[in-house]
């Protein structure tokens, strides 16, 4: 790629990207982001690092429109990690509602407790300390460090991976699982300047969410369409392993969701007979309930009663 240099307000060249391999991509995408980024609450300064962390947990495998109301209720109730840590983990599961994958609620509660105990209630800025928190993986640690603290990290979610696959490698889709080659590419594309790198991380993610989508991509609105390797190759069809589809109806996930819905609606222990009515197939229902107990999402009590966890 030919490196482009963007002038600074004083007319001098910006040295942050003169030699960066992805410089010809950085500023078109960042400029597009400056104009088209959605006004989301976790992007506002008042969200702070805790607001960013909460959003990152909630947005994993869940669309923005479903996250927004739960996010706002969550931050109104628990504006700091210590506020969440002071409550029973079952309350986090209850407040999670129907966002799906409720183990994320327990992980977020565990992270809040660790932040309170280890860091005085403040989300740490250090990437290694973030990574050491329970429930925090490489993606979330990089995202919080980048979006909350403006640090230089490769933030690789599904949207970013798709943008890089198309724009740089010429593939319609990235591999099903993140590869070492993708991580190397993401690091190579990072602007040298920390602030620009953080902006690039957010901008490339937004481009994948709004323009370079999995289906019905809008190349006519893409700021880097003229450079996109996939488009220039006439959009060759995906020739890798089949894309994994997500099913829900009739799965154990659906049964688990129905069982949790009953438990969320009451603060009292629920008898087995009440849970038995939520699903007609007894073997699948028992398997789903056992899985919820094993995951720590449901606590069994003597006499065949169940509740959300208190500890």
């Amino acid at each position: 790629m030919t490196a482009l240099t963007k002038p600074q307000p004083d007319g001098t060249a910006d040295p942050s990207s003169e030699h960066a391999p992805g410089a010809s991509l950085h500023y078109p995408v960042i400029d597009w982001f400056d104009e088209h980024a959605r006004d989301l609450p976790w992007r506002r300064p008042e969200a702070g690092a805790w607001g960013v962390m909460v959003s990152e947990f909630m947005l994993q495998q869940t669309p923005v429109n479903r996250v927004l109301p739960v996010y706002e209720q969550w931050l109104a109730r628990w504006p700091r990690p210590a506020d969440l840590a002071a409550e029973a983990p079952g309350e986090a599961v209850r407040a999670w509602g129907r966002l799906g994958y409720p183990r994320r609620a327990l992980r977020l509660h565990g992270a809040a407790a660790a932040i309170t105990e280890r860091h005085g209630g403040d989300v740490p800025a250090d990437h290694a300390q973030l990574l050491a928190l329970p429930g925090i993986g490489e993606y979330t640690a990089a995202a919080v460090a980048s979006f909350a603290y403006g640090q230089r990290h490769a933030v690789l979610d599904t949207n970013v991976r798709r943008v890089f696959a198309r724009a740089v490698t010429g593939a319609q889709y990235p591999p099903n699982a993140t590869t070492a080659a993708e991580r190397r590419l993401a690091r190579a594309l990072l602007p040298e300047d920390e602030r620009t790198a953080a902006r690039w991380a957010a901008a490339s993610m937004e481009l994948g969410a709004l323009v370079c989508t999995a289906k019905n991509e809008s190349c006519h609105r893409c700021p880097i369409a003229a450079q996109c390797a996939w488009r220039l190759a006439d959009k060759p069809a995906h020739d890798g392993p089949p894309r994994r589809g997500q099913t829900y109806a009739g799965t154990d996930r659906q049964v688990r969701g129905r069982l949790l819905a009953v438990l969320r609606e009451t603060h009292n222990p629920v008898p087995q007979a009440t849970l038995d009515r939520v699903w007609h197939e007894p073997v699948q229902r028992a398997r789903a309930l056992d899985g919820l107990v094993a995951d720590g999402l449901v606590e069994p009590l003597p006499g065949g009663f169940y509740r959300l966890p208190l500890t």
Side-chain angles (χ1 to χ4, degrees):
M1 296 178 189
T2 302
L4 300 183
T5 302
K6 184 173 181 177
Q8 300 187 94
D10 63 3
T12 62
D14 180 356
S16 66
S17 58
E18 286 183 9
H19 306 293
S24 60
L25 303 175
H26 296 154
Y27 285 111
V29 174
I30 291 172
D31 288 345
W32 171 87
F33 182 68
D34 288 343
E35 184 176 353
H36 298 284
R38 290 168 291 181
D39 178 20
L40 300 173
W42 45 85
R43 289 178 177 162
R44 299 169 191 161
E46 61 267 25
W50 174 237
V52 171
M53 178 176 284
V54 171
S55 75
E56 288 300 331
F57 271 82
M58 291 185 173
L59 288 165
Q60 294 168 20
Q61 299 178 291
T62 307
V64 166
N65 64 327
R66 288 180 56 200
V67 165
L68 280 170
V70 180
Y71 172 88
E72 291 175 347
Q73 293 165 10
W74 190 284
L75 267 295
R77 180 174 179 180
W78 298 308
R80 288 181 52 80
D83 300 317
L84 175 59
E87 299 239 25
E91 287 305 300
V93 176
R94 193 187 314 279
W96 198 256
R98 296 185 177 276
L99 286 182
Y101 302 98
R103 277 178 289 182
R104 292 179 292 169
L106 289 183
R107 293 181 184 130
L108 184 51
H109 184 277
I115 290 167
T116 303
E117 294 168 4
R118 303 175 193 172
H119 304 288
D122 294 321
V123 176
D126 181 75
H127 179 268
Q129 291 180 336
L130 286 166
L131 199 55
L133 294 173
I136 301 286
E138 174 57 39
Y139 165 78
T140 305
V144 173
S146 179
F147 301 151
Y149 294 113
Q151 297 176 14
R152 183 179 182 268
H153 293 282
V155 184
L156 273 175
D157 81 335
T158 301
N159 290 315
V160 176
R161 293 174 61 224
R162 186 170 55 253
V163 168
F164 291 175
R166 291 176 179 174
V168 181
T169 65
Q172 183 180 17
Y173 299 117
N176 283 335
T178 305
T179 65
E182 286 182 284
R183 297 188 190 281
R184 287 193 297 270
L185 173 62
R187 289 193 294 268
L189 291 174
L190 272 177
E192 291 298 326
D193 174 67
E194 277 205 327
R195 183 175 180 277
T196 307
R199 198 70 176 162
W200 162 250
S204 55
M205 187 177 295
E206 189 80 334
L207 186 68
L210 300 184
V211 174
C212 193
T213 51
K215 297 180 180 179
N216 303 316
E217 64 279 353
S218 301
C219 295
H220 64 284
R221 297 194 292 122
C222 180
I224 54 172
Q227 305 177 59
C228 177
W230 183 56
R231 179 176 173 273
L232 292 173
D234 201 23
K235 297 185 176 181
H238 176 67
D239 63 356
R243 306 299 295 171
R244 294 176 299 192
Q246 289 189 339
T247 58
Y248 184 72
T251 64
D252 284 5
R253 278 188 58 218
Q254 183 180 25
V255 185
R256 285 164 61 103
R258 291 193 177 183
L259 292 169
L260 276 180
V262 173
L263 294 167
R264 282 198 307 267
E265 289 169 2
T266 177
H267 289 269
N268 299 317
V270 174
Q272 177 79 56
T274 300
L275 296 177
D276 287 345
R277 290 196 288 269
V278 308
W279 195 255
H280 61 282
E281 209 289 304
V283 174
Q284 187 180 26
R285 184 180 64 237
R287 183 172 64 242
L289 183 58
D290 288 345
L292 290 170
V293 172
D295 289 342
L297 290 161
V298 171
E299 183 179 343
L301 300 173
F305 284 81
Y306 296 85
R307 69 183 178 195
L308 297 179
L310 293 182
T311 57

